């Protein structure tokens, strides 16, 4: 098949250095994140954050557990832990000797593994069900083999061998999905091979004239940004999971980052891609805009590993912004903060990131403040006095909005003027760059809290939706109320933590993230109880006009809801597309 030449106009392209290899063991296998970081109870019985990567690293966080006790209405004894049973028992491995011999003859031994801990890690992402299963339950099926290709040719080879020897393939990016997308179908009797793309992590070229780059699909966000930054560029895609999720995973899940207001969602950033599919290769560089009928490469967006393996993509890149400034604003209540967001979107002066926390999340952010002593403690008390007593903000109603402005110095200055003027009009009070930066960066450390709280009998998770401006406030209220009702109906302990934030803005609506947690000590089958409540919340979201997902995807978690969002004809199209491209169901991960 004729393919257009790759890298045709390459004279001015920069060829970046490959990324620094990640040290082995850098990432935890049984909990979120880097092995050197995370919350723990120290010898003095206080909560602290280990490591040195984040602003709260190495700091004691005295208010977290007392605050959680108040909100959850239960006593949390730091010494009372639900010991993790990781690694839980693995199902028997389904070997395929002929395939394994063929792979061993073509790939180096160090790029094939049947190590149980490796198989286990490749059989899940980061839903509460996933993390519960690896600590307190069991995964019914995991991959039987993991391979690490280093080139598109090797990906093609793995696919050819899988077809020849009757195996099933599941592409693996960073393993950070939150939809059970990497859960292996328990009924799958073929050998399942997890194809881990993370050794394909290079930015192949940067085109500074056209502001494009070709990036291999297994590169994590951190690796991409490090390679681009050396040449004065950024991708601008910053999901909360940026440290560990990959370009291929972002494409396969329709990901969205915190700075989408400026740089766009993944489908806006990726211009074209290369993929290895059972039907053959998809391989072309698209022009800046085209009218060529449906482009099959676009079907890979949201494909969740079902249609083939994305090997690289040509993306937009943006000059590293000359100016980057954080900000924050306090509002008297969620409604006025929300009205401010609407006005910001209508003004056209939308900062790279605008996030509005509800009161509970604002309180949560305060509870995560590291211990302050001496002058810093005094300053904190004075600030609180000023905000609550002098400016009249009610601690039980007030909300916070964090802002990140990026662009040229003039652009940022103009946006700041417009945004703060609108904030004042909605009763907002500027709360400073320091608080804005703290709130923004805390996102990366908060990702570690779920595993910590799980050890202390608190089960939590986040889930998202998008909804029209006109329906958003009602949706937030309905979902929280439903969670409280369902929690009470089941007689679960204490009170639920049900909170939300608005994270992305569109002309027509917003993305809303919910955070939900409850105390599960003494609850039989707590993970399933949680899953039931999450399903009830999704039912409420759909009933209130929200979407099935804004950016997490469908996976297996939200699959049962698909008939509520697509017509029978649309579902038939989806099934037929899959069946015609992959008639043998080589990509048998069972998603979407
Ligand atoms: C703490 C935390 C924060 C998060 N924040 C965000 C956020 O801000 N925004 C957001 O969008 N998501 C977020 N997520 C969800 C998750 O990070 C995204 O869904 C991400 O896009 C998954 O990428 P991954 O590389 O980890 O993919 P994986 O989890 O490895 O895989 C996800 C799916 O994509 C398929 N896949 C992976 N690579 C390829 C490939 N090269 N070709 C074909 N299919 C492939 C897999 O088979 C699987 O079905 C968050 C998750 C966590 C745990």
């Amino acid at each position: 098949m004729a393919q257009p030449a790759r890298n045709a106009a390459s004279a001015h392209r920069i060829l970046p250095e490959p990324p620094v290899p990640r040290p082995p063991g850098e990432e935890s296998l049984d909990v979120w994140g880097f092995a050197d970081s995370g919350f723990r109870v120290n010898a003095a019985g206080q909560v602290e954050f280990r490591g040195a990567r984040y602003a709260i690293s190495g700091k004691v966080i005295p208010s977290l557990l007392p605050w959680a006790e108040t909100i959850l209405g239960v006593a949390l004894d730091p010494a009372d832990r639900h010991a993790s049973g990781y690694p839980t028992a693995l199902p028997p491995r389904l070997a395929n000797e002929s395939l394994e011999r063929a792979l061993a003859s073509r790939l180096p031994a160090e790029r094939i593994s049947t190590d149980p801990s490796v198989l286990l890690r490749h059989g899940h992402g980061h839903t509460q069900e996933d993390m519960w299963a690896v600590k307190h339950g069991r995964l019914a099926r995991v991959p039987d083999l993991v391979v690490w290709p280093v080139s598109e040719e090797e990906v093609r080879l793995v696919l050819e061998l899988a077809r020849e020897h009757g195996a099933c393939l599941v592409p693996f990016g960073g393993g950070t999905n939150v939809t059970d997308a990497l859960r292996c179908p328990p009924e799958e009797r073929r050998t399942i091979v997890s194809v881990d793309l993370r050794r394909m992590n290079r930015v192949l070229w940067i085109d500074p004239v056209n502001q494009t780059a070709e990036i291999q699909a297994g590169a994590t966000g951190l690796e991409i940004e490090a390679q681009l930054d050396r040449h004065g560029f950024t991708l601008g895609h910053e999901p909360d999971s940026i440290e560990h999720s990959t370009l291929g995973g972002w494409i396969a899940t329709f990901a969205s980052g915190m700075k989408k207001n400026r740089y766009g969602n993944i489908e806006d950033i990726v211009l074209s891609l290369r993929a290895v599919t059972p039907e053959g290769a998809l391989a072309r560089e698209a022009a800046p805009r085209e009218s060529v009928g449906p482009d099959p490469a676009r079907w890979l967006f949201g494909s969740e590993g079902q249609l083939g393996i994305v090997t690289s993509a040509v993306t937009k890149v943006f000059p590293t912004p000359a100016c980057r400034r954080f900000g924050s604003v306090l509002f008297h209540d969620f409604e006025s903060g929300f009205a401010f967001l609407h006005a910001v979107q209508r003004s056209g002066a939308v900062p790279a990131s605008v996030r509005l926390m509800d009161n509970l999340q604002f309180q949560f952010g305060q509870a995560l403040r590291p211990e302050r002593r001496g002058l810093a403690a005094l300053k904190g008390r004075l600030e609180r006095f000023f905000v609550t007593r002098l400016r009249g903000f009610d601690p039980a109603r007030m909300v916070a909005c964090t802002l990140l402005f990026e662009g040229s110095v003039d652009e940022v200055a103009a946006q700041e003027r417009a945004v703060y003027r609108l904030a004042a009009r909605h009763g907002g009070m500027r709360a400073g760059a320091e608080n804005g930066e703290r709130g923004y960066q805390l996102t990366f450390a908060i990702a570690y809290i779920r595993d910590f709280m799980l050890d202390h009998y608190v089960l939590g998770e986040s889930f998202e939706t998008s909804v029209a401006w006109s329906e958003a406030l009602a949706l937030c209220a309905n979902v929280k109320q439903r969670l409280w009702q369902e929690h009470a109906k089941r007689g679960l302990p204490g009170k639920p933590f049900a909170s939300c934030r608005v994270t992305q803005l569109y002309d027509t609506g917003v993305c809303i993230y919910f955070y939900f947690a409850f105390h599960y000590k003494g609850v039989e089958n707590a993970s399933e109880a949680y899953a039931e409540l999450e399903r009830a919340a999704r039912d409420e979201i759909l009933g209130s006009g929200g979407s099935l997902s804004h950016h997490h995807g469908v996976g297996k978690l939200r699959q049962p809801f698909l008939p509520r969002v697509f017509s029978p004809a649309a579902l038939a199209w989806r099934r037929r597309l899959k069946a015609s491209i992959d008639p043998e169901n080589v990509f048998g991960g069972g998603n979407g």
Side-chain angles (χ1 to χ4, degrees):
M1 195 188 352
Q3 298 290 349
R6 292 186 79 188
N7 305 352
S10 59
H12 50 269
R13 286 178 177 172
I14 300 165
L15 304 179
E17 289 292 299
V20 180
R22 299 177 78 149
E26 188 191 44
E27 201 180 332
S28 298
L29 292 179
D30 59 335
V31 289
W32 172 258
F34 292 107
D36 61 15
S37 298
F39 292 89
R40 71 169 169 207
V41 175
N42 64 19
Q46 300 162 311
V47 176
E48 67 176 17
F49 197 92
R50 286 181 299 118
R53 285 176 191 272
Y54 308 98
I56 64 166
S57 298
K59 308 252 169 70
V60 168
I61 303 151
S63 307
L64 178 62
L65 288 185
W67 177 79
E69 285 187 324
T70 316
I71 295 302
L72 296 170
V74 292
L76 294 173
D77 174 359
D80 182 20
R81 295 189 59 197
H82 187 182
S84 165
Y86 174 86
T88 45
L90 284 187
R93 201 172 84 78
L94 288 185
N96 178 330
E97 282 172 18
S98 64
L99 170 71
E100 289 171 38
R101 265 198 310 276
L103 283 168
S105 70
R106 310 290 291 275
L107 298 179
E110 56 99 16
R111 289 202 276 111
I112 305 175
S113 179
T114 55
D115 179 307
S117 62
V118 173
L119 300 183
L120 182 58
R121 177 60 191 98
H122 285 77
H124 69 87
H126 276 276
T127 59
Q128 70 81 14
E129 289 95 328
D130 284 332
M131 299 321 285
W132 182 272
V134 299
K135 294 175 191 181
H136 305 298
R138 188 166 182 269
L139 289 178
R141 187 84 169 84
V142 296
D144 302 296
L145 200 65
V146 178
V147 296
W148 287 267
V150 295
S151 64
E152 188 175 297
E153 291 66 33
E154 285 191 356
V155 172
R156 200 172 304 124
L157 170 77
V158 171
L159 174 56
E160 277 163 17
L161 293 179
R163 293 181 82 175
E164 192 180 324
H165 298 276
C168 163
L169 297 182
V170 176
F172 185 97
T176 70
N177 74 82
V178 280
T179 58
D180 293 345
L182 289 170
R183 287 287 192 105
C184 298
E187 65 285 357
E188 179 59 68
R189 301 323 294 161
R190 297 173 295 178
T191 289
I192 301 178
V193 183
S194 173
V195 186
D196 187 329
L197 277 300
R198 281 178 297 184
R199 305 238 180 141
M200 294 174 62
N201 60 356
R202 292 190 63 170
V203 174
L204 297 172
W205 50 258
I206 302 168
D207 182 331
V209 176
N210 300 309
Q211 292 194 4
T212 53
E214 184 173 10
I215 305 172
Q216 289 185 307
T220 62
L222 271 195
E223 289 167 332
I224 295 170
E225 288 302 332
Q227 291 172 80
L228 293 178
D229 186 58
R230 281 199 284 274
H231 301 280
F233 288 97
T234 176
L235 192 66
H237 182 70
E238 201 164 295
D240 297 1
S241 58
I242 186 169
E243 297 161 303
H244 305 289
S245 54
T246 64
L247 173 62
W250 299 336
I251 294 170
T253 58
F254 258 126
S256 173
M258 287 191 272
K259 299 194 294 193
K260 89 94 205 144
N261 298 339
R262 181 169 181 84
Y263 302 100
N265 289 317
I266 196 64
E267 67 275 19
D268 308 312
I269 294 171
V270 169
L271 299 168
S272 57
L273 56 80
R274 296 176 67 89
V276 170
T277 82
E279 187 75 31
L282 301 184
R284 71 187 199 98
E285 272 180 47
R289 203 250 170 187
E290 298 178 326
S291 172
V292 292
D295 179 353
R298 289 275 143 190
W299 299 339
L300 269 295
F301 285 88
S303 60
E304 298 183 341
Q306 292 299 111
L307 300 179
I309 299 183
V310 179
T311 53
S312 69
V314 175
T315 68
K316 293 180 194 169
V317 290
F318 304 86
T320 308
C323 185
R324 191 165 194 253
R325 273 209 292 268
F326 289 94
S328 62
V329 182
L330 297 175
F331 292 96
H332 286 278
D333 50 37
F334 192 63
E335 289 73 14
S336 36
F338 188 79
F340 159 74
L341 296 186
H342 189 243
V344 167
Q345 181 66 24
R346 291 292 172 258
S347 75
V350 190
S353 168
V354 194
R355 295 192 301 173
L356 178 72
M357 269 68 71
D358 73 0
N359 175 260
L360 213 45
Q361 257 183 64
F362 170 69
Q363 289 186 30
F364 184 32
Q366 299 304 303
L368 281 166
R369 272 194 183 279
E371 186 175 38
R372 292 196 276 191
R373 290 166 187 245
L375 272 183
L378 179 66
K379 183 169 169 264
R381 280 198 297 276
L382 286 175
E383 277 169 4
R384 223 173 5 257
F385 179 78
F386 178 74
V387 170
T388 56
R389 298 291 174 81
L390 300 185
R391 296 294 303 267
F393 283 81
D394 175 355
R397 285 182 63 77
M398 64 192 283
V399 302
C401 181
T402 60
L403 303 160
L404 170 60
F405 302 88
E406 289 192 353
S408 67
V409 174
D410 289 347
E411 203 179 355
V412 166
Q415 278 190 1
E416 282 179 324
R417 271 195 305 278
V419 164
Y420 291 129
R421 204 169 40 235
L422 290 172
R425 238 181 255 164
H426 290 85
M429 186 190 109
R430 285 175 73 161
E434 199 188 317
N435 282 324
E437 180 163 10
R438 192 183 147 271
Y440 188 88
Q441 304 296 1
L442 202 56
T443 304
F444 301 111
I446 283 182
Y448 291 81
I449 209 160
R450 205 259 306 277
D451 290 296
F452 171 73
M453 293 308 283
L454 188 63
D455 289 351
H456 294 274
Y457 294 99
V458 178
L459 195 48
E461 174 92 293
S462 65
F463 42 86
E464 37 58 80
T465 186
S466 60
V467 61
W469 285 103
S470 56
E471 313 305 314
L473 286 175
L475 181 143
C476 293
N478 294 348
V479 172
K480 288 181 196 174
Q481 193 190 19
R482 177 78 179 267
L483 286 167
W484 273 79
Q485 280 168 355
E486 299 283 338
H487 184 272
K489 202 162 86 187
R490 286 167 180 77
L492 292 166
K495 298 178 287 182
F497 169 80
S499 149
C500 71
R501 65 161 85 163
V502 180
T503 55
Q504 274 103 336
L505 309 186
Y506 296 90
D507 284 340
T508 55
V510 293
C511 167
I512 298 171
Y513 248 81
F514 289 94
Y515 291 79
F516 174 59
F518 62 78
H519 190 244
Y520 69 83
K521 192 158 188 185
V523 176
E524 211 177 310
N525 212 347
S527 176
E528 181 46 34
Y530 189 101
E532 272 179 30
L533 266 70
E534 191 181 328
R535 283 194 290 272
R538 184 59 54 188
D539 172 66
E540 195 65 44
I541 286 173
L542 293 175
S544 304
S547 66
L548 182 55
S549 174
H550 170 263
H551 58 259
H552 283 164
V554 177
K556 289 160 204 88
L557 194 68
R558 298 180 185 174
Q559 217 170 28
F561 291 100
L562 279 174
R564 281 178 68 176
V565 295
F566 286 114
S567 70
L571 289 172
W573 271 52
R574 287 164 69 109
R575 276 194 305 275
R576 286 199 196 118
L577 176 68
K578 160 74 179 163
S580 69
I581 290 171
D582 185 15
E584 298 152 11
N585 195 26
V586 179
F587 290 97
N591 294 321

